[in-house]
Amino acid sequence: MATTRRAKRPQPAKDRAYAYVKEQVLEGVYPGGELLSEGEVAEVLGVSRTPVREAFLLLEAEGLMRLYPKRGALVVPVSAEEIRDVMETRLLVERFAAERVARRDSDVVSQQLHSLLADQRRHLERGNRIGFVEADRLFHRAIVVSAGNAILTRLYDSLRDRQRRMAAAILARDPSVQRRYLEEHGRIAEAIAAGDPAETERLVEKHLEGAQRDYAPSTGSG
């Protein structure tokens, strides 16, 4: 007896609008400070204004947008305070994780890190900034996951959207930092492979502090 497959239901218009606008914000296509209108987004997606309005409300609740009646929705810029909070949290988690991973048998994680380095290099050569941002995030996440603390991994994952948005903003302003990040990642991977906890921790701290300075010009924080 032939089995019948259920036709896949189309994604609701509200969900499509939400996913589309959020992705554009996180990738920096809609930069902080830009005012979006419901009509513009509705036209791009081929939907009515109602689902776009609902998507804007969800994004406002997430702190990514601020609604102004009859004017549109403002993409909320990344603040200096948010950058500081995110980077302080990353530094606490990643420094601990890197030191712990370097103390352990590091063959498996070293192979994973070198694979992710190859991904970053490929994205850099192809000029794929979005791909580089994701490969960059996965490199850091691999170290956190390998430390074996599930609570810290969940905390780190909660920063995903903020990391993507901040990194996309940096690379859009100065694509040349990709090569520096790749070189610094390579040195971190080498220190882990060598089983040198102190050097690994130092390199991670230096890398993240440098990334925080890269964010500063766009916020006017010095």
Side-chain angles (χ1 to χ4, degrees):
M1 180 177 176
T3 58
T4 57
R5 292 183 178 178
R6 291 183 179 180
K8 189 176 181 180
R9 291 183 178 180
Q11 189 179 28
K14 179 191 73 174
D15 294 346
R16 281 197 293 128
Y18 167 80
Y20 172 80
V21 176
K22 183 171 184 177
E23 192 69 11
Q24 302 306 297
V25 170
L26 295 182
E27 291 179 3
V29 178
Y30 293 155
E34 182 164 337
L35 190 67
L36 304 178
S37 75
E38 295 172 2
E40 290 171 350
V41 176
E43 186 175 353
V44 169
L45 295 175
V47 299
S48 70
R49 293 189 178 202
T50 300
V52 176
R53 188 177 307 121
E54 293 172 340
F56 282 0
L57 286 168
L58 291 173
L59 292 165
E60 183 178 47
E62 293 182 17
L64 292 175
M65 306 188 87
R66 188 176 301 126
L67 304 188
Y68 294 93
K70 299 181 180 180
R71 289 182 57 197
L74 179 76
V75 179
V76 177
V78 179
S79 69
E81 291 76 17
E82 181 178 359
I83 290 170
R84 183 198 63 222
D85 291 348
V86 170
M87 296 308 294
E88 283 180 353
T89 304
R90 286 189 62 188
L91 185 60
L92 287 170
V93 173
E94 293 188 48
R95 192 167 50 189
F96 166 82
E99 194 270 347
R100 172 175 281 191
V101 169
R103 288 185 182 279
R104 298 178 173 178
D105 183 358
S106 55
D107 286 348
V108 174
V109 68
S110 291
Q111 291 174 12
Q112 187 179 4
L113 294 180
H114 280 94
S115 176
L116 290 167
L117 285 170
D119 288 344
Q120 290 171 64
R121 193 172 295 108
R122 184 173 65 255
H123 291 310
L124 175 61
E125 291 168 353
R126 295 177 179 177
N128 182 0
R129 289 205 303 265
I130 295 172
F132 186 92
V133 166
E134 181 62 6
D136 177 288
R137 187 187 71 82
L138 290 174
F139 177 89
H140 288 272
R141 185 180 187 276
I143 296 172
V144 174
V145 171
S146 297
N149 187 312
I151 294 175
L152 285 183
T153 298
R154 286 196 294 273
L155 172 60
Y156 191 79
D157 285 345
S158 73
L159 303 175
R160 178 177 182 268
D161 287 349
R162 290 183 171 90
Q163 283 182 252
R164 284 185 60 197
R165 190 179 180 202
M166 290 162 60
I170 284 182
L171 299 190
R173 187 176 67 244
D174 183 8
S176 68
V177 300
Q178 294 175 92
R179 193 165 299 281
R180 193 187 91 222
Y181 289 174
L182 181 59
E183 292 171 354
E184 291 175 355
H185 287 173
R187 287 193 283 272
I188 291 169
E190 289 172 3
I192 289 174
D196 189 336
E199 179 66 0
T200 302
E201 186 176 3
R202 185 189 71 80
L203 289 170
V204 166
E205 182 171 357
K206 181 181 178 183
H207 174 63
L208 293 178
E209 288 177 346
Q212 184 167 1
R213 286 192 296 273
D214 292 331
Y215 296 129
S218 64
T219 64
S221 59

